[in-house]
C-alpha cells in the first residue's frame, strides 16, 4: 500500500510540474507512470521522497492521496546543456547501480534513482529546438560557440541568425579544407608575413620587402579560392556579432584579419602613397595584403567616397585572384552599393565580381537588439539647457585635470587640434568636427587619442547641412567601432535628427500617397533631402547612437579603455529621469 500511495503522490507531483505539457505528450507520461507503478515493489524508494508530514496528512485524511509537492528546485529547469545530455545518457546505468547499493534500507538510493529518471525526462522535453538538436554534437567552429551560447541563454532564438550561422559554419569548414594543409607553415596571424618563402635580401629590408619574388611564389602556391559571405540587413540584427564569432574562433592558419571598412580603406590609401613610385601601386598594395591575410572580415561595407569606389574593383579583383576570402557585413544589398554616386558605371564591375565571389545573404529581421539593450545613462542632452549640461558633465569627467588645447597626429602627416581637452576627455562643437573638410582618418586619430568625446550643437539635418550629416555619420561609425564614450548635445532625439532624410523609394511613396509628384535630388526647398546613401545610413546611425547610451556599451567602453570604471557601472542603476539626458552621473 505504501508503494501504491507513493506512486499516486509522485504522479500528482509530476502532473503539477508539467502542467504546460501539450496533450500529445500526455499518453507518453501516462504510459511511463503506469509502467513505473506496475514495476515498483511495496515499500519502494518513492516513499522516501515524501516527508513525514505528507505521510501524516495522508493518514489523517482517511488514506486519501497527499497533496502534490513543488517540483524540486534542482530539476525545475528544462534548459538543455551538453553536460545534462551526457548525464541523461548515463542515467539508466547509474540508476541501477544506486538501486543495487542503497543505504540501510535502500530507500535513499532508490529515491535518487527516481529523481534521476524524472530529471532525464525533463531534459528530453526540452529537446524541442530543432537547431540545438541538430547541432548537439558540434564541438568545433563558430556554430558550436553560438549553440552553446543559446543553451546558456546568451543569445535569443532567432531564425535568421540560425540560418546565418549555418552559412558561417559552411565558410569555416571550407576554409579549414582549403587552408588546413598550410597549418604547419603558419605561426602568426593578421598582417604578419608568415608564408614559408626565401628571406628577402637586406638591401630591400623592412616590412614591404621581397614583394616581387614573394608575389610570384605565393601566386603559384595559392590556396583554392573559398566562396565568401556578404551579410546585409537592417540595424541591430546581429551581423557584426555573428561575424565576430568566426573571427574570434578561427585558427591561426586562417590568417584572418577583422577590421572596419573605414579603417581598411584608410590603410589602403596609406600603402598607395608608399608605393607611389612603383609602376602599378595598387597591385603592390593588393599583393602585400594577401601575403599576410587569407580571410578578410570587413564590418559595415558602405561606399560613399568616389576615390574608394574607383579602386575597389581592381583592388579586390587582385585579392580574389590571389585566393583571398571576403566576409563582409553591410546595411545594403550589393546592387545598392554606391547608388547614385559619381561615375557609378565604373563601379558596377566590382558589384558583379562581389556577387560571384561571395554568397549574398539577407539578414532581414524585425528585431533590433540594440534597442533591447537601451538604458538611459545621461549621455545625450536635448533640453533647453543642453549646452550647459553637456559642459558641466564634460568638466566632471575631466576629474579636475586642466583643460586646454592639444594636438593629435593624423595619418598622412597632418595634425588635428583638440581645442578643449582634459585628461582622456575632449570637447568639440559640431562645426569644428563636421563643418570642416575632415574625414575618417581624422576621426580615427581622435578615437585613438581620447576615450571620451563630447560634441555640442548637433542640429537637425536638412538640405542645407547634408555634407555635415555625412561627416556626422562617419564620426559615429568610427566612435562606435573604437568603443569611445560619446556625449552629445543635440536639437532633437536621434531618430528626429534625420527625419528630413529620405531614400528615393521613401520619397516616391510619400509623393504617391500624397497625390504629389516625385523628382529625384533635393525636394522641399532647403529642408528635405532625398539621398539614398544618407537615407540608408541614417538607420544605422540612429541605432548606434541609441546603443552608445546603453549600459552594455558603456561596459564595453570601460573594458577597452578604463577598467576602473567597471565597478562604478556594476554599482550604478539606470536613471529614472526622462529622455532629456539628465541621467545619473559618474
Amino acid at each position: 500500500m505504501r508503494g501504491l500511495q507513493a506512486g499516486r503522490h509522485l504522479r500528482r507531483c509530476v502532473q503539477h510540474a508539467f502542467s504546460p505539457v501539450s496533450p500529445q505528450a500526455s499518453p507518453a507520461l501516462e504510459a511511463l507512470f503506469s509502467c513505473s507503478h506496475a514495476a515498483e515493489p511495496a515499500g519502494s524508494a518513492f516513499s522516501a521522497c515524501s516527508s513525514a508530514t505528507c505521510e501524516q496528512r495522508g493518514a489523517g485524511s482517511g488514506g486519501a492521496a497527499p497533496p502534490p509537492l513543488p517540483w524540486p528546485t534542482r530539476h525545475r529547469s528544462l534548459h538543455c546543456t551538453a553536460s545534462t545530455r551526457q548525464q541523461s545518457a548515463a542515467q539508466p546505468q547509474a540508476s541501477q547501480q544506486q538501486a543495487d547499493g542503497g543505504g540501510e534500507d535502500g530507500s535513499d538510493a532508490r529515491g535518487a534513482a527516481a529523481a534521476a529518471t524524472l530529471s532525464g525526462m525533463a531534459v528530453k522535453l526540452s529537446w524541442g529546438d530543432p537547431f540545438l538538436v541538430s547541432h548537439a554534437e558540434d564541438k568545433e567552429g563558430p556554430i558550436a560557440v553560438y549553440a552553446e551560447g543559446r543553451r546558456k541563454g546568451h543569445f535569443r532564438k532567432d531564425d535568421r541568425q540560425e540560418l546565418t550561422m549555418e552559412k558561417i559554419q559552411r565558410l569555416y569548414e571550407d576554409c579549414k579544407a582549403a587552408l588546413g594543409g598550410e597549418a604547419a607553415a603558419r605561426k602568426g596571424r593578421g598582417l604578419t608575413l608568415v608564408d614559408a618563402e626565401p628571406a628577402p635580401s637586406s638591401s630591400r629590408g623592412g616590412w614591404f620587402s621581397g614583394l616581387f619574388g614573394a608575389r610570384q611564389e605565393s601566386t603559384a602556391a595559392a590556396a583554392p579560392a573559398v566562396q565568401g559571405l556578404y551579410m546585409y540587413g537592417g540595424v541591430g540584427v546581429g551581423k557584426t556579432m555573428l561575424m565576430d564569432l568566426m573571427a574570434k574562433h578561427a585558427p591561426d592558419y586562417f590568417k584572418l584579419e577583422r577590421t572596419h571598412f573605414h579603417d581598411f580603406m584608410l590603410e589602403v590609401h596609406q600603402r598607395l602613397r608608399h608605393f607611389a613610385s612603383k609602376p602599378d601601386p595598387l597591385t603592390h598594395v593588393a599583393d602585400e595584403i594577401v601575403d599576410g591575410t587569407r580571410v578578410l572580415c570587413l564590418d559595415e561595407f558602405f561606399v560613399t567616397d568616389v576615390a574608394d569606389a574607383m579602386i575597389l574593383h581592381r583592388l579586390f579583383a587582385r585579392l580574389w585572384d590571389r585566393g583571398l576570402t571576403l566576409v563582409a557585413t553591410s546595411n545594403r544589398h550589393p546592387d545598392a552599393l554606391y547608388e547614385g554616386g559619381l561615375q557609378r558605371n565604373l563601379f558596377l564591375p566590382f558589384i558583379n565580381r562581389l556577387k560571384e565571389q561571395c554568397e549574398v545573404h539577407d539578414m532581414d529581421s524585425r528585431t533590433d537588439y540594440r534597442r533591447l539593450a537601451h538604458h538611459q545613462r545621461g549621455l545625450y542632452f536635448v533640453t533647453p539647457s543642453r549646452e550647459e549640461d553637456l559642459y558641466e558633465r564634460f568638466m566632471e569627467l575631466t576629474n579636475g585635470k586642466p583643460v586646454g588645447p592639444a594636438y593629435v597626429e593624423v595619418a598622412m602627416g597632418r595634425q588635428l587640434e583638440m581645442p578643449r581637452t582634459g585628461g582622456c576627455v575632449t570637447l568639440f562643437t559640431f562645426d569644428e568636427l563636421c563643418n570642416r573638410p575632415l574625414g575618417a582618418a581624422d576621426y580615427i586619430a581622435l578615437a585613438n587619442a581620447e576615450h571620451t568625446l563630447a560634441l555640442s550643437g548637433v542640429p537637425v539635418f536638412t538640405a542645407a547641412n547634408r555634407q555635415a550629416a555625412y561627416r556626422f555619420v562617419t564620426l559615429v561609425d568610427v566612435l562606435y567601432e573604437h568603443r569611445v564614450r560619446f556625449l552629445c548635445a543635440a536639437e532633437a532625439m536621434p531618430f528626429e535628427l534625420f527625419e528630413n532624410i529620405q531614400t528615393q523609394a521613401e520619397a516616391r511613396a510619400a509623393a504617391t500617397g500624397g497625390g504629389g509628384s516625385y523628382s529625384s535630388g533635393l525636394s522641399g526647398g532647403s529642408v528635405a533631402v532625398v539621398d539614398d546613401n544618407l537615407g540608408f545610413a541614417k538607420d544605422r546611425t540612429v541605432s548606434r547612437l541609441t546603443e552608445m547610451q546603453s549600459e552594455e556599451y558603456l561596459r564595453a567602453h570601460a573594458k577597452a579603455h578604463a577598467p576602473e570604471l567597471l565597478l562604478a557601472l556594476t554599482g550604478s542603476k539606470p536613471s529614472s529621469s526622462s529622455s532629456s539626458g539628465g541621467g545619473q552621473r559618474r
Side-chain angles (χ1 to χ4, degrees):
M1 287 300 295
R2 291 183 63 192
L4 181 61
Q5 185 179 26
R8 291 173 178 172
H9 165 68
L10 177 62
R11 181 176 181 175
R12 284 175 170 78
C13 283
V14 175
Q15 286 175 342
H16 172 72
F18 288 102
S19 56
V21 175
S22 63
Q24 292 79 359
S26 298
L29 291 176
E30 292 288 347
L32 174 65
F33 291 122
S34 298
C35 295
S36 299
H37 297 161
E40 188 64 34
S44 73
F46 287 113
S47 62
C49 299
S50 303
S51 64
T53 304
C54 290
E55 291 181 329
Q56 293 172 1
R57 288 176 180 173
S61 57
L69 292 175
W71 187 254
T73 303
R74 64 182 180 277
H75 302 306
R76 183 180 299 276
S77 173
L78 300 185
H79 206 55
C80 178
T81 63
S83 60
T84 311
R85 287 195 300 275
Q86 294 172 358
Q87 294 171 4
S88 177
Q91 279 165 3
Q93 180 180 357
S95 300
Q96 182 63 38
Q97 291 175 351
Q98 292 173 352
D100 292 342
E104 289 185 5
D105 56 359
S107 60
D108 291 341
R110 296 191 201 98
T117 300
L118 295 177
S119 178
M121 184 177 66
V123 169
K124 291 179 181 179
L125 291 175
S126 71
W127 290 1
D129 190 320
F131 177 83
L132 295 182
V133 171
S134 62
H135 297 286
E137 304 303 325
D138 288 343
K139 303 297 183 184
E140 184 182 2
I143 203 166
V145 179
Y146 178 80
E148 184 63 20
R150 279 279 307 279
R151 295 184 190 101
K152 293 180 178 179
H154 296 167
F155 306 125
R156 291 170 176 250
K157 178 174 175 55
D158 189 307
D159 293 340
R160 298 303 298 179
Q161 288 190 2
E162 292 175 2
L163 178 60
T164 305
M165 285 308 305
E166 299 280 0
K167 297 180 181 299
I168 291 177
Q169 184 69 15
R170 184 271 308 166
L171 175 63
Y172 177 87
E173 297 294 341
D174 289 348
C175 287
K176 279 184 59 180
L179 304 175
E182 301 175 336
R186 304 181 185 281
K187 300 181 181 179
R189 46 186 306 159
L191 297 181
T192 305
L193 302 183
V194 294
D195 283 323
E197 299 169 349
S201 62
S202 58
S203 60
R204 303 179 60 193
W207 198 28
F208 304 100
S209 61
L211 289 171
F212 291 103
R215 185 164 61 252
Q216 294 169 356
E217 292 182 17
S218 298
T219 304
V226 174
Q227 186 184 36
L229 182 64
Y230 181 96
M231 298 171 281
Y232 74 97
V235 296
V237 298
K239 303 183 296 294
T240 300
M241 178 196 72
L242 299 184
M243 182 179 72
D244 285 346
L245 283 180
M246 176 174 177
K248 292 176 181 177
H249 297 90
D252 288 348
Y253 60 85
F254 275 26
K255 296 177 69 177
L256 184 146
E257 178 76 9
R258 190 272 191 208
T259 186
H260 192 276
F261 181 73
H262 283 314
D263 295 339
F264 174 74
M265 292 310 301
L266 179 61
E267 186 173 1
V268 167
H269 286 294
Q270 288 176 334
R271 297 187 184 191
L272 281 173
R273 293 184 64 198
H274 178 85
F275 291 112
S277 60
K278 300 290 184 179
D280 189 357
L282 193 59
T283 299
H284 288 281
V285 171
D287 288 344
E288 187 186 62
I289 291 173
V290 81
D291 280 340
T293 305
R294 300 307 294 269
V295 180
L296 178 62
C297 296
L298 292 180
D299 191 28
E300 297 297 349
F301 203 110
F302 183 66
V303 185
T304 58
D305 187 82
V306 63
D308 293 345
M310 294 304 101
I311 67 174
L312 278 175
H313 174 53
R314 287 195 60 230
L315 173 66
F316 273 92
R318 181 70 176 181
L319 294 176
W320 283 321
D321 289 343
R322 290 286 309 279
L324 181 131
T325 299
L326 175 67
V327 183
T329 70
S330 179
N331 294 129
R332 310 195 70 176
H333 189 280
D335 291 335
L337 288 173
Y338 197 53
E339 198 166 40
L342 294 174
Q343 298 181 328
R344 188 171 186 264
N345 60 309
L346 300 178
F347 184 73
L348 295 179
F350 168 75
I351 294 177
N352 296 332
R353 185 71 186 271
L354 174 65
K355 292 190 291 186
E356 292 176 2
Q357 296 292 146
C358 296
E359 179 181 2
V360 179
H361 173 56
D362 184 3
M363 278 195 67
D364 183 35
S365 174
R366 296 182 178 180
T367 304
D368 185 343
Y369 291 96
R370 292 176 185 155
R371 291 187 181 274
L372 294 179
H374 173 68
H375 299 278
Q376 187 65 40
R377 305 293 299 178
L379 303 178
Y380 195 96
F381 303 88
V382 294
T383 62
S385 61
R386 56 185 176 270
E387 300 296 338
E388 293 81 2
D389 294 339
L390 177 68
Y391 186 76
E392 180 184 352
R393 183 69 185 279
F394 164 72
M395 293 303 296
E396 288 179 357
L397 293 176
T398 61
N399 198 25
K401 301 290 178 59
V403 176
Y407 294 85
V408 59
E409 294 290 334
V410 183
M412 305 179 190
R414 295 186 293 109
Q415 279 192 335
L416 177 66
E417 181 184 6
M418 299 182 292
R420 293 162 290 274
T421 301
C424 294
V425 188
T426 186
L427 171 64
F428 283 86
T429 67
F430 180 82
D431 287 342
E432 290 168 343
L433 276 188
C434 300
N435 269 331
R436 295 170 54 199
L438 302 179
D442 302 274
Y443 303 146
I444 290 172
L446 279 178
N448 290 330
E450 309 294 344
H451 68 55
T452 300
L453 186 144
L455 187 66
S456 68
V458 179
V460 173
F461 297 113
T462 65
N465 56 14
R466 178 168 58 166
Q467 292 303 318
Y470 268 106
R471 295 190 185 99
F472 182 74
V473 167
T474 302
L475 173 66
V476 172
D477 282 346
V478 170
L479 298 182
Y480 178 87
E481 183 68 18
H482 289 77
R483 295 297 184 263
V484 172
R485 181 168 49 179
F486 184 46
L487 286 70
C488 180
E491 291 182 357
M493 295 301 291
F495 66 92
E496 296 171 327
L497 294 178
F498 293 88
E499 61 183 358
N500 297 318
I501 309 298
Q502 294 180 316
T503 63
Q504 294 191 33
E506 291 171 341
R508 189 180 297 110
T512 303
S517 60
Y518 163 77
S519 61
S520 62
L522 301 181
S523 66
S526 61
V527 177
V529 180
V530 180
D531 186 320
D532 273 348
N533 286 326
L534 200 54
F536 280 101
K538 70 176 183 180
D539 291 334
R540 180 180 76 249
T541 304
V542 170
S543 176
R544 289 187 163 183
L545 284 173
T546 302
E547 183 183 353
M548 291 167 86
Q549 302 171 55
S550 71
E551 183 175 347
E552 287 78 1
Y553 181 87
L554 293 178
R555 289 183 186 279
H557 158 80
K559 289 179 180 179
H561 303 289
E564 68 276 7
L565 298 178
L566 286 174
L567 183 59
L569 283 171
T570 303
S572 62
K573 296 180 180 180
S575 170
S576 59
S577 59
S578 66
S579 60
S580 62
Q584 181 175 346
R585 299 174 177 177
R586 285 190 266 102

